[in-house]
Amino acid sequence: MSPTRRSALPRFDSHDPAVLADPYSVYRRLRAHGPVCRGGTGQWVLTRHADVTACLADPRLGTEYPVEYHRMSVGEGPAVSFFSRILLDRDPPHHTRLRKAMHPAFRPAAVRALSGRIGAMVDALLEPAFDRGHCDVVEDLAFPLPVSVVCELLGIPAADRELVRPHAVDLARGFGLVVAEPDRAATHTAVTWLRDYIGDLAAERLRSPGDDVLSHLLAPPGDGGPVDLGEVVDNVVFLFFAGFETTMNLIANGVAALLDAPDQQRVLRESPGLVPSAVEEFLRFDAPIQAVARLVREPMSLHGHTFRAGRLLVLLLGSANRDERVFADPGRLDVTRSPNPHVSFGGGAHFCLGAALARLEGRIVFDRLARRCRGLVPAGAPERRRTTSFRSLSRLPVTFLPA
């Protein structure tokens, strides 16, 4: 590509305050300019739905990055080996092996069996909020629900959940494309603490196995080969984080979207059967994960641009979900939208392992809200977390209007 053409492309910077404040206006301008833009050093960025969807399943793209990439992304420290071993950043055959080991806990039948237990958790969280007439959706619902669910799945004691929480929040900072310098030390500290905590739990499960994901991952494989304890610990740390982050953002972002759309609240209140459709629309409208990256494993061309092996393709899921070529009036929340081919759970071999569980938790929460509330209104200013890959709230005060 000629220098002139390269310089003509717009540049996407995930740390830009304009992106953190309102990514969708930025995405709209990028899509209007073209399907490809520049990112950081060695990065290309794709903005449109067709390209993002295709690349999520393209075998020429992978997620197993050289260790040098992790050092560049997060800085030297324990998080480098952590990101090198987790399911998210592995390619076949390692990805296939790890996903097969984890899949039984997240298959649809296993998730459906959790419906009653999750419903009881939601009721226990919402009843005090309904009695008060108000709550902070993040603190009182969106965070504690998925954390409780994933802790039960993994076998983390209920008494330790608040102890684990701040370290999991710090770990979230490490999942950006390039972690900001001020956040790197907290990421490494979180990895160290969580490894030690899960390592102690693993030692207990080896002595006395239970019926939880950690115990199953520690069981000898069918071929009788050894279990890599360090790999199990790192992937359980990852499952704990992934098990609450997406669902927390789905619930909080969904409520925030409804606060701005009283007409859609009314639609759900009058037709609670639309809740599954509404959950898909919340996922599309304000995607919990805004971007994922793929490593170019062999040269490929797209829209006249050649991507060399070793380059990084950044797939803007949040932009793809607002693509005017696919979604009518994409900036409007529409809980009846169908079809809704959003890409918020990714695609291909790396389609989100916990998608069914996140959907179930979201459906139960919004079903309860639709049936128990005459309306939701803001009770104060929302606050967003400063994250580059996640669309996340740290505070969302609401008032419930009783049914």
Side-chain angles (χ1 to χ4, degrees):
M1 182 190 304
S2 70
T4 301
R5 188 172 179 185
R6 288 172 67 96
S7 62
L9 289 174
R11 185 173 294 273
F12 173 74
D13 177 6
S14 61
H15 294 279
D16 184 341
V19 173
L20 296 174
D22 179 14
Y24 301 110
S25 295
V26 176
Y27 298 157
R28 185 170 58 251
R29 292 194 295 271
L30 292 176
R31 288 194 307 273
H33 189 280
V36 180
C37 61
R38 295 294 299 185
T41 303
Q43 295 181 359
W44 296 88
V45 180
L46 302 182
T47 65
R48 295 180 180 174
H49 187 277
D51 299 319
V52 169
T53 301
C55 286
L56 284 169
D58 195 315
R60 296 171 295 179
L61 301 171
T63 63
E64 197 160 306
Y65 311 103
V67 67
E68 292 77 17
Y69 170 80
H70 294 300
R71 291 194 180 105
M72 179 276 295
S73 175
V74 75
E76 191 64 70
V80 172
S81 59
F82 170 78
F83 285 112
S84 297
R85 291 203 291 197
I86 61 174
L87 176 73
L88 182 71
D89 292 335
R90 303 302 297 273
D91 289 333
H94 298 298
H95 176 269
T96 307
R97 170 179 55 83
L98 288 168
R99 192 173 178 108
K100 182 179 180 181
M102 299 173 187
H103 176 70
F106 298 96
R107 67 186 190 276
V111 169
R112 286 194 298 272
L114 296 172
S115 180
R117 177 64 182 136
I118 294 172
M121 291 181 183
V122 172
D123 290 337
L125 291 168
L126 281 177
E127 285 303 327
F130 287 149
D131 289 343
R132 292 192 307 269
H134 61 86
C135 78
D136 180 335
V137 169
V138 177
E139 187 68 22
D140 298 327
L141 178 62
F143 181 83
L145 172 65
V147 164
S148 296
V149 172
V150 75
C151 283
E152 286 200 4
L153 283 174
L154 297 178
I156 295 176
D160 290 352
R161 290 169 194 176
E162 284 304 310
L163 182 67
V164 173
R165 172 180 180 170
H167 304 286
V169 171
D170 283 342
L171 180 61
R173 306 180 191 188
F175 284 84
L177 299 173
V178 177
V179 181
E181 287 287 347
D183 293 336
R184 294 185 174 192
T187 300
H188 293 300
T189 299
V191 167
T192 298
W193 193 95
L194 289 165
R195 276 177 166 172
D196 289 345
Y197 176 82
I198 297 298
D200 289 344
L201 271 186
E204 293 179 15
R205 294 299 184 277
L206 286 170
R207 292 191 296 268
S208 179
D211 187 21
D212 53 65
V213 172
L214 177 56
S215 296
H216 291 309
L217 290 176
L218 290 168
D223 59 9
V227 173
D228 184 330
L229 181 60
E231 184 182 62
V232 169
V233 167
D234 279 354
N235 277 282
V236 170
V237 170
F238 168 67
L239 282 178
F240 171 72
F241 163 79
F244 79 80
E245 182 72 30
T246 298
T247 306
M248 176 183 70
N249 297 338
L250 160 62
I251 294 169
N253 291 348
V255 172
L258 287 174
L259 290 175
D260 290 334
D263 62 317
Q264 297 302 294
Q265 290 191 44
R266 184 176 63 254
V267 171
L268 279 183
R269 189 167 63 251
E270 293 173 353
S271 302
L274 286 172
V275 162
S277 169
V279 168
E280 300 307 308
E281 178 68 344
F282 300 145
L283 288 162
R284 180 203 70 84
F285 184 77
D286 206 3
I289 300 173
Q290 289 284 298
V292 296
R294 295 290 185 264
L295 184 70
V296 181
R297 298 197 291 191
E298 58 182 85
M300 57 186 293
S301 296
L302 193 63
H303 300 295
H305 303 280
T306 298
F307 310 133
R308 300 200 303 271
R311 294 294 191 244
L312 210 63
L313 275 188
V314 178
L315 312 180
L316 293 182
L317 308 182
S319 178
N321 286 346
R322 296 285 189 104
D323 192 339
E324 303 82 356
R325 296 155 191 80
V326 176
F327 302 98
D329 198 4
R332 184 176 71 88
L333 184 75
D334 179 3
V335 298
T336 69
R337 189 181 297 273
S338 180
N340 193 343
H342 67 78
V343 291
S344 293
F345 287 127
H350 283 272
F351 183 81
C352 178
L353 180 67
L357 181 58
R359 281 178 163 129
L360 177 64
E361 292 178 63
R363 289 171 181 176
I364 292 173
V365 165
F366 287 102
D367 179 78
R368 295 296 197 274
L369 293 176
R371 295 178 188 278
R372 297 288 304 275
C373 292
R374 182 165 51 86
L376 303 168
V377 295
E383 295 177 5
R384 287 215 169 264
R385 286 166 59 197
R386 184 179 59 83
T387 59
T388 57
S389 291
F390 303 108
R391 183 77 170 149
S392 185
L393 287 151
S394 58
R395 181 174 183 269
L396 184 62
V398 301
T399 294
F400 299 111
L401 303 179

